[in-house]
Amino acid sequence: MSYPVLRVHLDVMESNINKIVSKCSEHGISVWAVTKGLSAPLELARRLSGTRISALADSRIKNIRRMKEDGIKAPFALIRIPMRSEIEDVIGLADYSLVSDMGTLELMSKVCESKKKEHSAMLMTDMGDLREGFWSDEAETVAEGLKKLSPALKICGIGVNYGCASGVLPSKESMQRFLSFGEKIESVIGRKLDIYSGGATTRSLIALDDGIFPARINNLRIGEGYLLGSDKSSGVIIPWLRQDTMELEAELVEVRRKPTKPIGEVGRDAFGNVPYFEDRGERLRGILAIGRQDVNIGGLTPLDEGVKIITASSDHLLVDIEDCPVAHKVGEILRFRPDYPGMLSSSTSPYVAKIYEG
Ligand SMILES: *Cc1c(COP(=O)(O)O)cnc(C)c1O
């Protein structure tokens, strides 16, 4: 076994997605399972494709290609607004995409025609988080532009994203603005839109029962909720989901008593910061063979009792183990629970082995 290891519990994620799908369906909401947080491993995608989700969604067309080439059967959605340079692949591989640019839609329409392929585009709207999306007052001009597109490029609905670029949360007020954007489009194109996609995990799962979503909201795109059982934008765990979905394991390569206060003049550390360490006398500390090159260290919570993270360099994670009830030794494995950036970074790192269980 080569460490560090990211150990992923597929059965726990599956139980989370099943709970999310059931709860959302009580509210007339379908669920797209977003795989980007864990870099879309095939083991997970295969498992999800057997659940009642209505699409597998990822931000990278490369991941969608990999999943399709593996033979996974599901509708696929590209959830990062596409680059014009990848439109051929997007039309060729994905069933849905999220789009916020009229020129891109026109290009997609041409490619649908030339490939004789149907594709569904969801219009992204910006309700204040200031990432992707058409602005509210563009609804009429956008709708007029849609009339010129090929019928092979179906406009399936509208979507909104919260809590990503600016941390803006969904509210009843912004939901109303979102609905009125859709209704304006509908009145110009003369038909109803199928999908009103009300956001990601952000606030939506914890507020589902509080009636935050108007009846027309019928889709959510969920990643963090089933991957970690948490909602980082609200800083909470989702109490009806499980959080023990994965652990990051690393090996101790040194255990020694050392002073807590560095000896000598203190300049900048490896990352340009001037560190400050309180003098707490001599304490037992360990070095784990994992570092910032492998994972976003700030996102790790130790799972072994008494372990505290001191600091990390590119390849070393220093932990205080003085208060541990057991005497940890060199060669032992310590475990950590990653948050979203911790999961993202360790899942993309080629230095971290991945094990899928359950
Ligand atoms: C990442 C992303 C999601 C999923 O976000 P989570 O917070 O992981 O649920 C949904 N929609 C879009 C457009 C995204 O970029």
Side-chain angles (χ1 to χ4, degrees):
M1 166 82 67
S2 111
Y3 289 94
V5 164
L6 182 66
R7 191 178 295 277
V8 176
H9 305 290
L10 296 174
D11 51 341
V12 180
M13 290 183 180
E14 185 177 359
S15 121
N16 279 349
I17 202 79
N18 286 336
K19 283 192 194 132
I20 293 169
V21 168
S22 300
K23 207 170 172 71
C24 285
S25 76
E26 287 167 22
H27 297 265
I29 291 173
S30 69
V31 176
W32 287 5
V34 178
T35 47
K36 69 175 188 222
L38 202 56
S39 311
L42 294 173
E43 292 82 352
L44 172 65
R46 288 183 202 126
R47 189 65 70 96
L48 290 169
S49 69
T51 68
R52 290 186 298 124
I53 57 161
S54 55
L56 280 170
D58 202 89
S59 50
R60 314 272 166 157
I61 199 71
K62 275 188 182 166
N63 286 343
I64 291 178
R65 179 190 295 282
R66 219 165 23 79
M67 292 190 268
K68 280 189 86 100
E69 284 177 355
D70 185 65
I72 292 168
K73 297 271 177 293
F76 286 95
L78 179 70
I79 57 168
R80 178 169 69 188
I81 47 175
M83 296 182 260
R84 291 196 186 175
S85 59
E86 66 184 359
I87 294 300
E88 293 274 338
D89 282 347
V90 174
I91 301 299
L93 295 165
D95 302 286
Y96 295 94
S97 52
L98 275 41
V99 190
S100 68
D101 182 85
M102 206 58 223
T104 302
L105 282 167
E106 286 161 9
L107 180 60
M108 293 173 83
S109 161
K110 285 201 190 93
V111 176
C112 281
E113 285 283 307
S114 67
K115 278 192 186 292
K116 304 233 174 312
K117 194 157 184 298
E118 292 197 347
H119 183 84
S120 294
M122 181 187 285
L123 304 175
M124 288 306 277
T125 66
D126 190 333
M127 293 296 139
D129 192 51
L130 310 184
R131 201 177 73 177
E132 77 274 46
F134 290 109
W135 210 238
S136 291
D137 63 9
E138 290 179 89
E140 273 93 2
T141 32
V142 170
E144 287 300 333
L146 297 181
K147 290 180 174 171
K148 302 189 195 95
L149 303 178
S150 157
L153 182 66
K154 187 171 180 233
I155 303 303
C156 63
I158 59 169
V160 60
N161 210 48
Y162 294 99
C164 274
S166 318
V168 168
L169 300 172
S171 65
K172 287 194 173 155
E173 182 276 323
S174 79
M175 274 295 143
Q176 283 310 322
R177 275 190 283 131
F178 177 59
L179 292 198
S180 85
F181 184 96
E183 284 156 7
K184 277 182 201 149
I185 301 268
E186 289 173 343
S187 74
V188 178
I189 63 173
R191 66 169 174 91
K192 293 270 183 230
L193 295 168
D194 295 338
I195 306 179
Y196 277 64
S197 184
T201 301
T202 301
R203 186 58 80 75
S204 58
L205 294 182
I206 53 167
L208 214 49
D209 293 330
D210 306 339
I212 186 174
F213 291 124
R216 281 221 72 182
I217 301 297
N218 60 4
N219 174 265
L220 287 171
R221 310 171 310 268
I222 303 292
E224 189 191 3
Y226 79 90
L227 290 168
L228 295 171
S230 60
D231 176 349
K232 64 186 176 309
S233 63
S234 302
V236 295
I237 60 158
I238 300 167
W240 44 278
L241 295 176
R242 282 174 64 175
Q243 290 73 44
D244 55 342
T245 53
M246 67 186 79
E247 298 97 39
L248 185 63
E249 303 174 345
E251 185 173 333
L252 277 166
V253 287
E254 184 188 295
V255 172
R256 187 167 278 127
R257 294 192 69 81
K258 288 190 181 179
T260 39
K261 196 169 169 55
I263 301 149
E265 188 188 347
V266 173
R268 294 183 190 278
D269 68 11
F271 290 84
N273 310 307
V274 180
Y276 169 77
F277 297 101
E278 187 193 343
D279 189 356
R280 300 170 66 211
E282 270 198 8
R283 292 178 67 84
L284 194 64
R285 60 155 90 196
I287 301 181
L288 291 152
I290 188 170
R292 296 187 200 231
Q293 197 165 174
D294 309 291
V295 60
N296 185 321
I297 298 293
L300 297 183
T301 304
L303 292 174
D304 298 277
E305 200 184 336
V307 174
K308 283 184 208 73
I309 292 175
I310 302 170
T311 185
S313 59
S314 306
D315 306 293
H316 303 85
L317 173 62
L318 309 186
V319 286
D320 183 308
I321 50 176
E322 178 79 25
D323 299 332
C324 294
V326 289
H328 293 295
K329 295 186 188 66
V330 171
E332 281 180 18
I333 305 302
L334 296 184
R335 296 152 66 246
F336 300 84
R337 175 130 306 139
D339 66 356
Y340 198 93
M343 165 175 68
L344 199 62
S345 51
S346 54
S347 71
T348 47
S349 172
Y351 303 109
V352 177
K354 283 86 181 172
I355 294 179
Y356 302 96
E357 297 179 339

